[in-house]
Amino acid sequence: MHLDVLDLRNFYYRTNLGRVAQRAIRDQVQAFWPEAKGQSVAGFGFAVPLLRPYLADARRVIGLMPGPQGVMPWPAGMENVSVLCHETQWPLPNGFVDKLVLLHGLETSEQPSAVLNEAYRVLGPGGRALFIVPYRGGIWARSDRTPFGFGRPYSLGQLEAQLRRHSFQTEGHRAALFVPPSERRFWLKTAPFWEGLGSRVSSALAGGVLMVEATKQVYSPRPSGLRQVVKKPLEVLDGLPSPAPKPA
């Protein structure tokens, strides 16, 4: 079940822990994608906090927010780019997106396969998608004080297997949120240290969230008939002696 957009907004923009989480995840997104100049960037779920670095140079930025979650205008003080949509019918043409981010869009959906089908459909040739989900073995998934404590958490193997079933090819993975989900001042102030240490020690197995980058597999059409022309085809009677003529 999708979380309410007001709860997500309040967490990421109005709590100290939410701002720490936003910064930690966004830094890793930029490590994957330092820039998106001239490209179309979209986010599904509540991915808008991660899209701000691309507003200046991207050709367009779109925040897709599913109906059960609700929508809010974003970014503040600028022309709105967020839109309410059906979670399995995104208002984008095929192959429209160069970079796609999913945050709180996959693990909270009751139709994850349909969401992945839409992600595959809108991603263009050479495009890349970044799937961000709660890590099944992390402490963030065990606390319902943050949005990462809701929905289905994933292990790395589970997420990669689900992406393969929907024709995505994994290109790389990272983790984020190595700091505990605590509002205590010590953890909030030292969060950058723990994020830096965690990213050096473990790329996937210690953080609160998994981040998997993937591209879509496009198979070339198979032509009908033989793939190669046989230069010397075998005749039906090859190898048999020629019949001798009957004597007159």
Side-chain angles (χ1 to χ4, degrees):
M1 180 177 179
H2 288 287
L3 298 173
D4 188 89
V5 68
L6 296 180
D7 294 332
L8 292 165
R9 181 199 64 184
N10 291 339
F11 174 73
Y12 281 108
Y13 292 103
R14 298 184 180 179
T15 69
N16 291 327
L17 182 60
R19 285 190 283 267
V20 165
Q22 178 185 160
R23 187 182 308 113
I25 299 173
R26 191 171 59 207
D27 286 349
Q28 294 302 322
V29 172
Q30 289 192 273
F32 275 110
W33 304 334
E35 55 83 28
K37 187 174 182 179
Q39 297 181 335
S40 294
V41 181
F44 175 75
F46 196 77
V48 288
L50 311 179
L51 305 183
R52 182 170 289 276
Y54 306 114
L55 286 171
D57 296 327
R59 179 171 54 184
R60 58 179 63 85
V61 174
I62 304 168
L64 301 166
M65 299 191 182
Q69 169 189 292
V71 66
M72 72 173 197
W74 185 88
M78 301 174 63
E79 184 178 351
N80 177 61
V81 300
S82 63
V83 58
L84 187 69
C85 69
H86 194 288
E87 66 174 351
T88 62
Q89 294 178 350
W90 302 355
L92 298 176
N94 297 348
F96 183 78
V97 176
D98 298 299
K99 287 182 168 64
L100 174 66
V101 183
L102 284 85
L103 176 66
H104 304 307
L106 182 61
E107 77 276 9
T108 55
S109 173
E110 296 180 0
Q111 304 179 75
S113 291
V115 169
L116 290 174
N117 287 339
E118 278 298 273
Y120 184 93
R121 180 185 67 80
V122 304
L123 202 62
R128 292 178 176 268
L130 192 56
F131 300 90
I132 305 172
V133 297
Y135 173 47
R136 186 176 183 180
I139 58 176
W140 284 73
R142 303 172 193 173
S143 172
D144 59 5
R145 292 185 299 171
T146 81
F148 299 100
F150 296 86
R152 297 175 306 278
Y154 286 83
S155 69
L156 180 60
Q158 288 172 334
L159 181 55
E160 289 182 333
Q162 189 169 15
L163 294 178
R164 283 196 300 270
R165 287 195 295 269
H166 290 80
S167 299
F168 283 98
Q169 174 67 47
T170 299
E171 300 294 340
H173 60 80
R174 294 175 181 265
L177 298 186
F178 295 93
V179 65
S182 171
E183 289 280 1
R184 291 188 177 182
R185 186 176 181 182
F186 170 78
W187 295 114
L188 296 175
K189 290 188 67 175
T190 59
F193 168 78
W194 298 112
E195 293 301 317
L197 178 63
S199 63
R200 291 192 297 271
V201 173
S202 172
S203 62
L205 299 180
V209 298
L210 292 172
M211 309 174 68
V212 175
E213 184 189 32
T215 56
K216 70 178 187 179
Q217 297 176 336
V218 180
Y219 300 97
S220 59
R222 295 182 178 181
S224 58
L226 295 174
R227 293 190 177 186
Q228 295 181 346
V229 177
V230 179
K231 296 181 179 179
K232 295 182 179 181
L234 182 66
E235 300 292 343
V236 175
L237 299 180
D238 275 3
L240 298 178
S242 300
K246 292 183 179 181

